[in-house]
Each structure stands twice: as structure tokens, then as C-alpha cells.
Amino acid sequence: RKKMDTNTKIKWAITLIVPLILFLIPYSGFYTYPVKMFFVITVFGLFVIAFEFFHIAVMAALLPPLWAIFQVAPLSVAMSPWTGTTMYMCLGAFLLAATLEESGLLKRVSYWIMSKTGSNYALLLIGLFLAGVAVTALTFGTGYIVMAALCYGLCRSLNIMGTRMSAAIAMVCMIGTCSAKCFTYSATTYAIIIGMAKNLLGDFDVNVFQAVGHNWPMALVSLVTILVIVKWYKADRPLNGKEYFKEELDNLGPMTHQEKANIVILGLVVAFLLTNPLHHLDSAYGFMIFPWLIFLPFINGATAESFKSINWGMIFFIAGCMAIGTVASSLGFGTLINDVCVPLFEGTDNIFYIFGMVFLIVFVLNFLMTPLAIWALITEPVVQISIALNMDPRPFIYALMHCAEAIILPYEYVPYLTVYAFGMMSMIDFIKLNIMRCIIYVIGFIALLVPYWYLIGVIKPLV
């Protein structure tokens, strides 16, 4: 039996002591028995997930029955995310990502882009960024695992693991996949955020044109960040990246039937999303129907193994995080946060102050819970703020997504944690590079993106 090391003991101590402290706090006002047990169970669960004691799906699956057993909320409330369209939209998106990866199409796209850059360090990083953006767009925000594996293979092949160069490659991988979903179209992210305020927004949706057209300036901010990385984490040896990717691309050979079939399915999904202004159907239908057509005999672009390749852990994690928001809302947290936050925005028409405060609120909460849990908890209050201020809710929805990217530690956001777990960078490098990225990101968000929204009319002057 493997002995528990000191670091693991400390993590378990934190995981047990913090919920115990919450349990010992006496009842008072809003802090009733259900609220107390919600905090105890949820904080324990989030620490278990953050410290990776179990598979990510285990704790997420345990939260709903625990809330029901300890009378925090009825099981029907705790399990409600599974009865809406959001989870099945996410399932379709993850199936599409799995079949695209299995077919080799994502590798082909990535290798082609990176074979055009090559031995120039700056161009290699920009090429990785572009490949990441392409994969992110093709998988609607779920391609970070694919790119992390590709970047890991690159670092191994170039024999640069553990160097500042591999840390730079890992950071660019995060920017090109994790951050890039904010200026491409992350169907699952929009589904989750909008789904959490469905009772306020009704049939409201964000389509591909709006997502990209309203947020593309952050791609420029990402490029600036990469240029800073090039100067800060300089190459300390010659590279042969172009040759490596050309060789890997040649090794893939001609495009297979499975790749062509996936192109057809991907084309159907993209066409459905792009024609949203014409048919006005919920974007969820595109992911709830078309990805599954890949299994039809006359298409035959996937196998039973493809279904097993779906990231089921992330599916359960999304459901668990959405359930946190649902249960919290049933306990009155939405009203409480609304009562605390709305006064911060009243009596001001300063757009920069309003979105700066949204950014600050999400940034602080990021240290306490995952973005999925934050979105589940505060989307409704934030949308209520937009309604109270008589503003279009889109900028607030975008802000929730952008603000969640301001993370400093790996545990704060699973996609960043996933890339970090490949071992291309140290914790010190992760913290240093992400502090720099956060500073540039928040400056870009406030000084470039918000004025751009004002310029194109997404934000209108308050009256």
C-alpha cells in the first residue's frame, strides 16, 4: 500500500478542516440548516475535485444524492440539469470532438498549420496558437486535450521538456484553446451560461456571428500576450519544428473515409449554426441531432469505440457544476447575490466601472469555485443586473465568459489544469505566465473590448 506523502496529507487536511469550520458556524439569518449543509457538502466536493483525489466524475455524481440525503434540496432539483437541453447539447458537442479526434482530422489540421511555421521560435508559437484556435473552433471549445497532446508530443520530439521553451509552448496551447473559446464559438459555454438564466432570457440565444463578431478583438490581445512570451521566455536552442510537422503530416497519408465523414457532419453542424438567423431554431438542436448521424450505416464515420471516447468525466462535471447553481438558486443565493451586487452598479452610467466590477467579482470567486459553478451561481443575478440597468444581456454574458479566464492557479479551471497536467511547465512558470496573461487580458477586456462593444452598439448609453 502506497504511503500518503506530506503534500497529500496537507490537501486532505484542508479538504476536511474547511467544511468542518463551516459546519461549526452557528445558524443565523440566511445561514439555515439547508444552507449550512449546502456549504459543507459543496465545499468538500470542490476541494476533492480541485485536489484530484478521485476521478473528476466521482464527486460530481455524488453531490446530488448527498444534497438530497442531507435535506439541502429535493433530488428532483439536484438532478434538474439532466432534464434540460444543455446537458444533451454538451453531450453532442463532446461526441463530435471525440469523433473528430478519433478520425485524425484534428491532427491533420493542426499539423498542416504548424508545418507552415516551423523552426522560427516566434512563428512556431504563433502557429501553435492558430492551430489551437482552429481546433477550438472545430470542436466548439472542447479541443484543449487534443492540442495539449500535440504540444506534448512536440516538446518530446524536440527534446525540450522542462525548459522555458516547453513552458512557453504549454502557455500558448492554453491561450489558443482555453482562452480562444471566448472569441470563437463555444457552444457548450454559451449553453451553460444562457441556460442558467433561461427563466429570465426565454428564447434568447447567441449565434456564431454574434459570438465571433462581438469578441474577435480578444484574439489581438492573445497575440500580444504571445509576443510578450516570445520576448520573456526566449528560445535557448535551435528548433526544427517545421520539419517535424511536415513529417507527421506526411505520415498521416491520404484523407480517410472516416475523416471525410466527419467533415460532412461538421459541415452540417456549422451550416445549422450559421443559418440561425434564417431558421431561428435553438443552437442546441444542431448538437443534439447532427453528431449522432455519424453512426448511420451509409455515413459510417464512427464506431462503438467513438462513443466510449466521449469525455464522460467532463459531462458529469458540467452537470454537477450546473446542479450547484440550481440548488443554490433554490436556497435563495441568487437573490442574496443580487441584493449584494446590484447596489454596486446603481447610480452609475460608467460602462468601464460596471464591467470592471463584474470582472472583479468573477475573479475573486474563481479562487473559491470553478467557472462552471460560478456561472451556475451568478448568471441569473448578473442578467438581472442587465435588466435593472435596461441593457442588452449579451455583454454581461460575454463578460461572465471572459472574466472566468482570469485564473492564476491550475485548480481554478479544468481546461488549464488539463494542459498543465501534461508536465510541460512547472507550477512557478504556470503562475508567472498566467499572472502576466491575466494583466494583459483584463487591460484588453476593459480598454479594447468594452469600447468596441460600445462602438458597434452592443452597449448603448445608459439613460
Side-chain angles (χ1 to χ4, degrees):
R1 187 175 179 179
K2 189 177 180 180
K3 188 177 180 180
M4 190 181 296
D5 58 44
T6 303
N7 189 40
T8 303
K9 289 179 181 177
I10 293 173
K11 289 178 180 179
W12 268 114
I14 294 171
T15 302
L16 296 173
I17 290 173
V18 175
L20 179 61
I21 292 172
L22 293 170
F23 180 78
L24 294 175
I25 297 175
Y27 302 126
S28 176
F30 182 76
Y31 202 68
T32 59
Y33 171 81
V35 172
K36 172 187 281 194
M37 294 311 299
F38 171 77
F39 273 121
V40 171
I41 294 169
T42 306
V43 170
F44 173 78
L46 290 175
F47 273 123
V48 166
I49 291 171
F51 290 140
E52 298 180 285
F53 292 134
F54 315 134
H55 188 280
I56 193 172
V58 174
M59 199 66 236
L62 284 174
L63 286 175
L66 287 175
W67 288 323
I69 291 171
F70 287 94
Q71 300 178 353
V72 173
L75 191 59
S76 59
V77 173
M79 297 296 293
S80 61
W82 291 101
T83 62
T85 60
T86 300
M87 288 310 306
Y88 297 94
M89 179 182 183
C90 293
L91 181 57
F94 277 102
L95 171 64
L96 184 60
T99 59
L100 285 169
E101 179 183 3
E102 184 184 64
S103 70
L105 185 60
L106 295 184
K107 282 186 178 180
R108 190 178 297 277
V109 171
S110 300
Y111 289 157
W112 182 85
I113 291 176
M114 290 186 285
S115 68
K116 302 302 178 183
T117 57
S119 55
N120 183 290
Y121 181 57
L123 287 179
L124 175 61
L125 294 185
I126 292 174
L128 288 170
F129 169 71
L130 294 176
V133 172
V135 170
T136 299
L138 288 173
T139 60
F140 305 98
T142 60
Y144 53 89
I145 298 177
V146 177
M147 275 306 299
L150 290 175
C151 289
Y152 173 77
L154 171 63
C155 291
R156 295 276 296 182
S157 67
L158 297 178
N159 194 30
I160 58 173
M161 284 293 291
T163 67
R164 288 167 66 87
M165 293 164 65
S166 70
I169 287 173
M171 190 69 247
V172 170
C173 177
M174 294 175 194
I175 295 170
T177 56
C178 307
S179 300
K181 71 178 183 295
C182 291
F183 55 82
T184 54
Y185 179 72
S186 177
T188 53
T189 302
Y190 283 115
I192 293 166
I193 296 177
I194 294 173
M196 293 313 302
K198 201 72 174 177
N199 61 323
L200 294 174
L201 297 173
D203 295 330
F204 173 90
D205 198 7
V206 175
N207 60 45
V208 176
F209 295 109
Q210 293 167 337
V212 177
H214 294 168
N215 295 285
W216 68 265
M218 294 309 288
L220 301 179
V221 175
S222 296
L223 285 172
V224 170
T225 306
I226 292 171
L227 293 178
V228 173
I229 293 173
V230 171
K231 294 295 183 181
W232 188 13
Y233 276 58
K234 296 179 179 179
D236 55 6
R237 67 187 71 180
L239 293 174
N240 296 308
K242 179 180 284 189
E243 289 72 20
Y244 168 78
F245 287 116
K246 281 182 177 178
E247 182 179 347
E248 290 298 312
L249 183 61
D250 291 338
N251 290 339
L252 291 178
M255 188 172 289
T256 64
H257 168 78
Q258 192 176 7
E259 287 179 272
K260 293 175 182 177
N262 275 271
I263 289 175
V264 171
I265 296 301
L266 180 62
L268 290 174
V269 175
V270 172
F272 180 86
L273 295 173
L274 293 178
T275 54
N276 180 266
L278 298 177
H279 56 65
H280 302 294
L281 294 174
D282 193 320
S283 299
Y285 293 129
F287 294 92
M288 293 172 69
I289 297 174
F290 294 121
W292 302 97
L293 301 182
I294 196 74
F295 292 104
L296 293 177
F298 57 85
I299 295 181
N300 197 29
T303 64
E305 293 300 316
S306 306
F307 190 75
K308 296 177 183 178
S309 299
I310 294 175
N311 190 347
W312 290 103
M314 185 58 69
I315 292 292
F316 277 91
F317 181 64
I318 290 173
C321 289
M322 289 185 68
I324 291 174
T326 302
V327 173
S329 180
S330 73
L331 294 172
F333 276 84
T335 302
L336 177 66
I337 293 174
N338 188 60
D339 292 342
V340 172
C341 293
V342 167
L344 298 175
F345 299 93
E346 290 178 342
T348 179
D349 59 357
N350 190 317
I351 296 298
F352 299 98
Y353 169 81
I354 291 171
F355 285 99
M357 285 303 301
V358 172
F359 204 106
L360 179 62
I361 291 168
V362 177
F363 177 77
V364 172
L365 288 176
N366 245 338
F367 288 101
L368 307 175
M369 59 184 71
T370 66
L372 286 169
I374 293 171
W375 295 333
L377 183 61
I378 74 169
T379 296
E380 189 169 325
V382 167
V383 170
Q384 286 176 338
I385 290 170
S386 73
I387 293 172
L389 294 173
N390 195 30
M391 294 180 64
D392 187 330
R394 283 182 180 83
F396 288 84
I397 290 170
Y398 298 147
L400 286 170
M401 181 171 59
H402 285 293
C403 299
E405 296 301 316
I407 65 111
I408 294 175
L409 298 169
Y411 80 89
E412 294 181 54
Y413 205 169
V414 169
Y416 290 88
L417 177 62
T418 302
V419 178
Y420 171 75
F422 275 83
M424 292 177 280
M425 66 196 316
S426 67
M427 177 64 76
I428 295 299
D429 285 327
F430 185 97
I431 294 172
K432 286 164 58 179
L433 286 166
N434 275 286
I435 288 176
M436 177 273 295
R437 183 186 63 85
C438 285
I439 292 172
I440 296 176
Y441 203 92
V442 69
I443 292 174
F445 177 79
I446 298 296
L448 180 62
L449 191 60
V450 174
Y452 172 71
W453 288 341
Y454 198 100
L455 179 66
I456 64 176
V458 179
I459 297 176
K460 293 180 173 59
L462 298 177
V463 293

